[in-house]
Amino acid sequence: MSFNDNLLIVIAASAIFYGTPLVFAALGEILAERSGVINLGVEGMMLLGAVSAAWVATNVDGPAGVVLPLALLAAMIAAGMGAAIHAFLTITLRVNQIISGLALTIFAGAAGLSSYLANIWNLGQAPIVNQFNRLDVLGLADMPLLGPILFHQTLLTYLSWSLVIGASFYLFRTRAGLHLRSVGESPQTADSVGISVAGYRYFHVILGGTFAGIAGACFSLSIVPTWADGLTSGQGWIALALVIFGFWRPDLMLVGAYLFGALSSLGFTLQARGVGISLAVLSALPYAMTIIVLVLVSTSSARRHLGAPAALGKPYEREER
Amino acid sequence: MTSNGLAGAATAIAVAAFGVSKRFPGVIANQDVNFDVRVGEVHALLGENGAGKTTLSNILTGLYRPDDGHLEVAGLSVEFDTPRDAINAGIGMVHQHFRLVPTFTVAENIALGAKLPSERHIPNLREIEERVSELANRFEMPVDPRSRVWQLSVGEQQRVEILKVLYRDAKVLIMDEPTAVLTPIEADVLAGTLRSMVDQGRSVIFISHKLGEVMSISDRVTVLREGRSIGTVATSDTSRQDLAQLMVGRTIERVERRVTDVPASGPTVLEIAGISADGDRGLQALNDVSLHVRRGEILGVAGVAGNGQRELVEVLAGLRARSSGTITVEGEPFDRMDARHPIHLGVAYVPQDRLGTGLAGDLSIEENLILKKYRRRPVSGGPFLRTSVIRSEAVALMDRFDVRAPSPQTPTRQLSGGNVQKVLLAREMSGAPKVLVIASPTQGLDVGAVATVHGLLLEAAEAGVGILLVSEDLEEVRALADRVAVIYEGSIMAVLDAQDATIERLGLLMGGSRDAGDKS
């Protein structure tokens, strides 16, 4: 048994592997919520992304280098379209954001459009051939300690890291990021200095949706990796909790995502080692944790200190006389 | 008036409106408005609430498009599709309700908006902070660019708003009721700032309905009435009385100062002893406040908004918990935090937020009128409401309190501000209260409604009701109150008899200076 088979290292490595879709989904939701739009449709958008990616990966012939980017693109477009519906309803028609988001998840979710599409496309018969495999980056995968954790992940993980860095820079260092935050904090202020509130909201809700699509593709192209109805198993809801857990900051959210990723992977890992804890209990851990986090942060005093965008959930309308 | 150095340029027109009209469904907000603002002048837009001042400024800043007419900036015809167009044309707005992001720093707030040619693509906050400091020094408006906006006082926030506009190099600044949130001393400082801006070749459009400040600050005045521009006059050629008449369209009677005829030894109906309470943010908002109101007396509470007035009236209405102190109404203690208890003790409450806290906007007038007595006969019998009684009482009250509405079933939301306040007063006074707690009774009302409301208050006092009148309008407080208490940062600075309560003295006390309040 080599050093890298140490239980903690295995858990750390799989925490990142299982946490990766959470990073994408929560990062997308951070962007949307920073603009003031809460989108409870994450789970639905992830499933749309997962099914579209699975279709491309099953039906397009070609080398992985062509098929996989196409599959990701399809996932982003499908989920982005779902987000666009939410954006239209909540920004243009000023529908209640909670209701619209829930409707999106029900419409696109496990018993909805995504399983219907999978059904008529005959997906889920066999594992997908073209999938995102773990890489051996710079030949360092066997390096003690850091090798399995940092250098033996899929391309999706490295993509998520660059997006987290990019999003942090965008939010806190660029003019557009400043404008985005002002739209989420005080749309009246943004409007009065000529920033397009609707424009920023549409863009970031849809961009956030495309990230959720990639999150879905993580399941159908890497984690599972085939189609199964409802294969995201509620991780979209965990992503929503992670946004709050991370104080609407990409860097803190990343830490939270890997914490939840560790909990998600605990079941398989411990079972493989023959540890005698019920699998049911272990699988329930991330969801129980979600409930605990939400209860803790939902107290009004916590909410005040958390730094939620002040206009989150509120439609913006120029005051009429 | 205009400074000598710019006398030659003073005839140049900075911005002008020609025949501007704007209609909303059912309302004509602006109709054929004409006016021009010269380079280097303070130009006042004077008008009552609803005269179209706000609509006009929204047109000037690109929020609305006029239905007819056009604007000219520096002699060239312009069309604004978005606020950004107006900003690019050099027109900046300082809103009455500040447009600032409270969680951002001063510099971040100022940097919001399109990139200036002199700025980098990736904004450098250090650079922006330095430029803000420079600008602040040049116009003598000290403010720390690194502090967060929520930490600033209202006066400082206003400076940030002005700096924000100056940073974009606006040539024309529109100030919407800028003194409404300031103490008299801060207002004087602001007047100096405006003067230094016009001396440096900018123009200021000063929107106000207060005659006094329009007379003292502006060079010329354009009067708006019912959406139309009535005319433009030089301030030096006019008087308060002339302007008032232009603004209202008829001569107005000023409320007469009442002769104090309440014996100083009259029985006390409301006794407040040492109450303290926290505000919404959990910080102490009231600090050991003691006041008493006698039968038939009006006690004014003056102060700049946000110094604990809201918390005070909410405690008295049983809507906010107090951390210490006692309240008694005619000797009976009021010790529970419960909105129904003070009603039983005879405390009537007219809040500042009339349609939010005072009335249910979607309910009809008659339903609102019974909100405090629907539990008892004759309005209800057992579990049922008696609609015929409700209807006839409503008709009688609307008649007595001069509520003008199509019918008792009209939703209160559809009424004008004056009628909303009359419905509220009708409900509260019909319960035959011993004490009336009333906040900003005439804020946002037109001159006619103000006179009616003031009349009703004096009538109530004559009938023996003790009135606690909270108002930011010093003229109102001085006109109505027998005694005036000044509240500052949650403490009562002094209680003055009406004849001692001069504007100067009240102004100093409102700014937190205790020296002025030696006599209490």
Side-chain angles (χ1 to χ4, degrees), chain B residues 63-82:
Chain B
L63 274 169
Y64 298 151
R65 293 181 63 127
D67 296 330
D68 286 310
H70 73 284
L71 303 176
E72 285 185 6
V73 172
L76 300 172
S77 186
V78 289
E79 236 176 84
F80 300 149
D81 293 323
T82 66

PDB file of all heavy atoms in Angstrom, chain B residues 63-82:
ATOM      1  N   LEU B  63     -34.381  59.724 -17.958  1.00  0.00           N
ATOM      2  CA  LEU B  63     -35.171  58.589 -17.463  1.00  0.00           C
ATOM      3  C   LEU B  63     -36.478  58.478 -18.230  1.00  0.00           C
ATOM      4  O   LEU B  63     -36.961  57.389 -18.487  1.00  0.00           O
ATOM      5  CB  LEU B  63     -35.455  58.739 -15.968  1.00  0.00           C
ATOM      6  CG  LEU B  63     -34.384  58.219 -15.019  1.00  0.00           C
ATOM      7  CD1 LEU B  63     -34.661  58.674 -13.597  1.00  0.00           C
ATOM      8  CD2 LEU B  63     -34.313  56.705 -15.054  1.00  0.00           C
ATOM      9  N   TYR B  64     -37.089  59.609 -18.559  1.00  0.00           N
ATOM     10  CA  TYR B  64     -38.292  59.613 -19.376  1.00  0.00           C
ATOM     11  C   TYR B  64     -37.989  60.334 -20.685  1.00  0.00           C
ATOM     12  O   TYR B  64     -37.156  61.233 -20.737  1.00  0.00           O
ATOM     13  CB  TYR B  64     -39.442  60.380 -18.699  1.00  0.00           C
ATOM     14  CG  TYR B  64     -39.921  59.829 -17.392  1.00  0.00           C
ATOM     15  CD1 TYR B  64     -40.469  60.679 -16.446  1.00  0.00           C
ATOM     16  CD2 TYR B  64     -39.860  58.470 -17.114  1.00  0.00           C
ATOM     17  CE1 TYR B  64     -40.932  60.189 -15.235  1.00  0.00           C
ATOM     18  CE2 TYR B  64     -40.325  57.976 -15.909  1.00  0.00           C
ATOM     19  CZ  TYR B  64     -40.857  58.841 -14.970  1.00  0.00           C
ATOM     20  OH  TYR B  64     -41.317  58.363 -13.777  1.00  0.00           O
ATOM     21  N   ARG B  65     -38.734  59.958 -21.723  1.00  0.00           N
ATOM     22  CA  ARG B  65     -38.680  60.715 -22.983  1.00  0.00           C
ATOM     23  C   ARG B  65     -39.904  61.610 -23.034  1.00  0.00           C
ATOM     24  O   ARG B  65     -41.007  61.172 -22.730  1.00  0.00           O
ATOM     25  CB  ARG B  65     -38.721  59.759 -24.168  1.00  0.00           C
ATOM     26  CG  ARG B  65     -37.506  58.895 -24.296  1.00  0.00           C
ATOM     27  CD  ARG B  65     -37.667  58.031 -25.514  1.00  0.00           C
ATOM     28  NE  ARG B  65     -37.742  58.869 -26.697  1.00  0.00           N
ATOM     29  CZ  ARG B  65     -36.948  58.693 -27.750  1.00  0.00           C
ATOM     30  NH1 ARG B  65     -36.087  57.725 -27.769  1.00  0.00           N
ATOM     31  NH2 ARG B  65     -37.048  59.487 -28.783  1.00  0.00           N
ATOM     32  N   PRO B  66     -39.723  62.861 -23.421  1.00  0.00           N
ATOM     33  CA  PRO B  66     -40.903  63.724 -23.519  1.00  0.00           C
ATOM     34  C   PRO B  66     -41.803  63.271 -24.675  1.00  0.00           C
ATOM     35  O   PRO B  66     -41.314  62.772 -25.686  1.00  0.00           O
ATOM     36  CB  PRO B  66     -40.307  65.109 -23.781  1.00  0.00           C
ATOM     37  CG  PRO B  66     -38.955  64.857 -24.333  1.00  0.00           C
ATOM     38  CD  PRO B  66     -38.488  63.545 -23.774  1.00  0.00           C
ATOM     39  N   ASP B  67     -43.132  63.433 -24.508  1.00  0.00           N
ATOM     40  CA  ASP B  67     -44.058  63.110 -25.592  1.00  0.00           C
ATOM     41  C   ASP B  67     -44.008  64.198 -26.662  1.00  0.00           C
ATOM     42  O   ASP B  67     -44.158  63.922 -27.846  1.00  0.00           O
ATOM     43  CB  ASP B  67     -45.487  62.990 -25.048  1.00  0.00           C
ATOM     44  CG  ASP B  67     -45.619  61.841 -24.056  1.00  0.00           C
ATOM     45  OD1 ASP B  67     -44.875  60.855 -24.217  1.00  0.00           O
ATOM     46  OD2 ASP B  67     -46.449  61.932 -23.139  1.00  0.00           O
ATOM     47  N   ASP B  68     -43.847  65.446 -26.235  1.00  0.00           N
ATOM     48  CA  ASP B  68     -43.736  66.576 -27.159  1.00  0.00           C
ATOM     49  C   ASP B  68     -42.617  67.479 -26.681  1.00  0.00           C
ATOM     50  O   ASP B  68     -42.228  67.430 -25.521  1.00  0.00           O
ATOM     51  CB  ASP B  68     -45.039  67.402 -27.159  1.00  0.00           C
ATOM     52  CG  ASP B  68     -46.152  66.683 -27.887  1.00  0.00           C
ATOM     53  OD1 ASP B  68     -45.903  66.231 -29.014  1.00  0.00           O
ATOM     54  OD2 ASP B  68     -47.242  66.555 -27.295  1.00  0.00           O
ATOM     55  N   GLY B  69     -42.179  68.358 -27.591  1.00  0.00           N
ATOM     56  CA  GLY B  69     -41.186  69.344 -27.212  1.00  0.00           C
ATOM     57  C   GLY B  69     -39.782  68.769 -27.269  1.00  0.00           C
ATOM     58  O   GLY B  69     -39.581  67.582 -27.541  1.00  0.00           O
ATOM     59  N   HIS B  70     -38.781  69.613 -27.035  1.00  0.00           N
ATOM     60  CA  HIS B  70     -37.416  69.119 -27.075  1.00  0.00           C
ATOM     61  C   HIS B  70     -36.517  69.881 -26.105  1.00  0.00           C
ATOM     62  O   HIS B  70     -36.885  70.928 -25.569  1.00  0.00           O
ATOM     63  CB  HIS B  70     -36.856  69.176 -28.492  1.00  0.00           C
ATOM     64  CG  HIS B  70     -36.531  70.576 -28.950  1.00  0.00           C
ATOM     65  ND1 HIS B  70     -37.491  71.467 -29.333  1.00  0.00           N
ATOM     66  CD2 HIS B  70     -35.337  71.214 -29.071  1.00  0.00           C
ATOM     67  CE1 HIS B  70     -36.908  72.606 -29.672  1.00  0.00           C
ATOM     68  NE2 HIS B  70     -35.616  72.487 -29.521  1.00  0.00           N
ATOM     69  N   LEU B  71     -35.341  69.322 -25.894  1.00  0.00           N
ATOM     70  CA  LEU B  71     -34.356  69.922 -25.001  1.00  0.00           C
ATOM     71  C   LEU B  71     -33.186  70.437 -25.823  1.00  0.00           C
ATOM     72  O   LEU B  71     -32.871  69.899 -26.883  1.00  0.00           O
ATOM     73  CB  LEU B  71     -33.841  68.875 -24.001  1.00  0.00           C
ATOM     74  CG  LEU B  71     -34.867  68.170 -23.120  1.00  0.00           C
ATOM     75  CD1 LEU B  71     -34.175  67.114 -22.276  1.00  0.00           C
ATOM     76  CD2 LEU B  71     -35.574  69.174 -22.224  1.00  0.00           C
ATOM     77  N   GLU B  72     -32.535  71.463 -25.319  1.00  0.00           N
ATOM     78  CA  GLU B  72     -31.291  71.928 -25.932  1.00  0.00           C
ATOM     79  C   GLU B  72     -30.220  72.011 -24.851  1.00  0.00           C
ATOM     80  O   GLU B  72     -30.479  72.477 -23.751  1.00  0.00           O
ATOM     81  CB  GLU B  72     -31.471  73.302 -26.584  1.00  0.00           C
ATOM     82  CG  GLU B  72     -32.241  73.225 -27.883  1.00  0.00           C
ATOM     83  CD  GLU B  72     -32.306  74.570 -28.598  1.00  0.00           C
ATOM     84  OE1 GLU B  72     -31.658  75.538 -28.126  1.00  0.00           O
ATOM     85  OE2 GLU B  72     -33.009  74.643 -29.616  1.00  0.00           O
ATOM     86  N   VAL B  73     -29.032  71.538 -25.186  1.00  0.00           N
ATOM     87  CA  VAL B  73     -27.897  71.687 -24.294  1.00  0.00           C
ATOM     88  C   VAL B  73     -26.869  72.551 -25.009  1.00  0.00           C
ATOM     89  O   VAL B  73     -26.471  72.232 -26.132  1.00  0.00           O
ATOM     90  CB  VAL B  73     -27.295  70.319 -23.911  1.00  0.00           C
ATOM     91  CG1 VAL B  73     -25.997  70.499 -23.149  1.00  0.00           C
ATOM     92  CG2 VAL B  73     -28.284  69.519 -23.082  1.00  0.00           C
ATOM     93  N   ALA B  74     -26.480  73.648 -24.389  1.00  0.00           N
ATOM     94  CA  ALA B  74     -25.531  74.595 -24.973  1.00  0.00           C
ATOM     95  C   ALA B  74     -25.939  74.970 -26.393  1.00  0.00           C
ATOM     96  O   ALA B  74     -25.116  75.053 -27.299  1.00  0.00           O
ATOM     97  CB  ALA B  74     -24.114  74.018 -24.949  1.00  0.00           C
ATOM     98  N   GLY B  75     -27.251  75.146 -26.604  1.00  0.00           N
ATOM     99  CA  GLY B  75     -27.724  75.629 -27.888  1.00  0.00           C
ATOM    100  C   GLY B  75     -27.973  74.556 -28.919  1.00  0.00           C
ATOM    101  O   GLY B  75     -28.479  74.852 -30.005  1.00  0.00           O
ATOM    102  N   LEU B  76     -27.625  73.308 -28.642  1.00  0.00           N
ATOM    103  CA  LEU B  76     -27.823  72.231 -29.612  1.00  0.00           C
ATOM    104  C   LEU B  76     -28.974  71.340 -29.159  1.00  0.00           C
ATOM    105  O   LEU B  76     -29.067  70.984 -27.991  1.00  0.00           O
ATOM    106  CB  LEU B  76     -26.547  71.391 -29.752  1.00  0.00           C
ATOM    107  CG  LEU B  76     -25.324  72.152 -30.232  1.00  0.00           C
ATOM    108  CD1 LEU B  76     -24.083  71.271 -30.141  1.00  0.00           C
ATOM    109  CD2 LEU B  76     -25.535  72.632 -31.671  1.00  0.00           C
ATOM    110  N   SER B  77     -29.818  70.978 -30.118  1.00  0.00           N
ATOM    111  CA  SER B  77     -30.941  70.122 -29.786  1.00  0.00           C
ATOM    112  C   SER B  77     -30.440  68.726 -29.415  1.00  0.00           C
ATOM    113  O   SER B  77     -29.562  68.179 -30.077  1.00  0.00           O
ATOM    114  CB  SER B  77     -31.877  70.040 -30.990  1.00  0.00           C
ATOM    115  OG  SER B  77     -33.030  69.336 -30.650  1.00  0.00           O
ATOM    116  N   VAL B  78     -30.974  68.164 -28.339  1.00  0.00           N
ATOM    117  CA  VAL B  78     -30.531  66.836 -27.910  1.00  0.00           C
ATOM    118  C   VAL B  78     -31.744  65.940 -27.677  1.00  0.00           C
ATOM    119  O   VAL B  78     -32.844  66.413 -27.430  1.00  0.00           O
ATOM    120  CB  VAL B  78     -29.717  66.892 -26.596  1.00  0.00           C
ATOM    121  CG1 VAL B  78     -28.371  67.514 -26.810  1.00  0.00           C
ATOM    122  CG2 VAL B  78     -30.501  67.613 -25.519  1.00  0.00           C
ATOM    123  N   GLU B  79     -31.496  64.631 -27.768  1.00  0.00           N
ATOM    124  CA  GLU B  79     -32.523  63.659 -27.423  1.00  0.00           C
ATOM    125  C   GLU B  79     -31.873  62.613 -26.538  1.00  0.00           C
ATOM    126  O   GLU B  79     -30.871  62.004 -26.925  1.00  0.00           O
ATOM    127  CB  GLU B  79     -33.056  63.004 -28.697  1.00  0.00           C
ATOM    128  CG  GLU B  79     -34.559  63.132 -28.843  1.00  0.00           C
ATOM    129  CD  GLU B  79     -35.026  62.548 -30.162  1.00  0.00           C
ATOM    130  OE1 GLU B  79     -35.222  61.340 -30.182  1.00  0.00           O
ATOM    131  OE2 GLU B  79     -35.163  63.311 -31.134  1.00  0.00           O
ATOM    132  N   PHE B  80     -32.433  62.411 -25.357  1.00  0.00           N
ATOM    133  CA  PHE B  80     -31.863  61.433 -24.429  1.00  0.00           C
ATOM    134  C   PHE B  80     -32.694  60.161 -24.457  1.00  0.00           C
ATOM    135  O   PHE B  80     -33.875  60.159 -24.142  1.00  0.00           O
ATOM    136  CB  PHE B  80     -31.860  61.978 -23.001  1.00  0.00           C
ATOM    137  CG  PHE B  80     -31.053  63.238 -22.834  1.00  0.00           C
ATOM    138  CD1 PHE B  80     -31.414  64.175 -21.882  1.00  0.00           C
ATOM    139  CD2 PHE B  80     -29.923  63.479 -23.620  1.00  0.00           C
ATOM    140  CE1 PHE B  80     -30.679  65.333 -21.707  1.00  0.00           C
ATOM    141  CE2 PHE B  80     -29.180  64.633 -23.441  1.00  0.00           C
ATOM    142  CZ  PHE B  80     -29.562  65.560 -22.493  1.00  0.00           C
ATOM    143  N   ASP B  81     -32.049  59.043 -24.839  1.00  0.00           N
ATOM    144  CA  ASP B  81     -32.759  57.762 -24.793  1.00  0.00           C
ATOM    145  C   ASP B  81     -32.556  57.066 -23.459  1.00  0.00           C
ATOM    146  O   ASP B  81     -33.397  56.315 -23.001  1.00  0.00           O
ATOM    147  CB  ASP B  81     -32.272  56.847 -25.924  1.00  0.00           C
ATOM    148  CG  ASP B  81     -32.669  57.379 -27.274  1.00  0.00           C
ATOM    149  OD1 ASP B  81     -33.790  57.931 -27.363  1.00  0.00           O
ATOM    150  OD2 ASP B  81     -31.880  57.273 -28.225  1.00  0.00           O
ATOM    151  N   THR B  82     -31.403  57.281 -22.852  1.00  0.00           N
ATOM    152  CA  THR B  82     -31.085  56.630 -21.588  1.00  0.00           C
ATOM    153  C   THR B  82     -30.414  57.652 -20.675  1.00  0.00           C
ATOM    154  O   THR B  82     -29.950  58.700 -21.143  1.00  0.00           O
ATOM    155  CB  THR B  82     -30.092  55.469 -21.779  1.00  0.00           C
ATOM    156  OG1 THR B  82     -28.852  56.035 -22.223  1.00  0.00           O
ATOM    157  CG2 THR B  82     -30.587  54.464 -22.795  1.00  0.00           C
TER     158      THR B  82
END
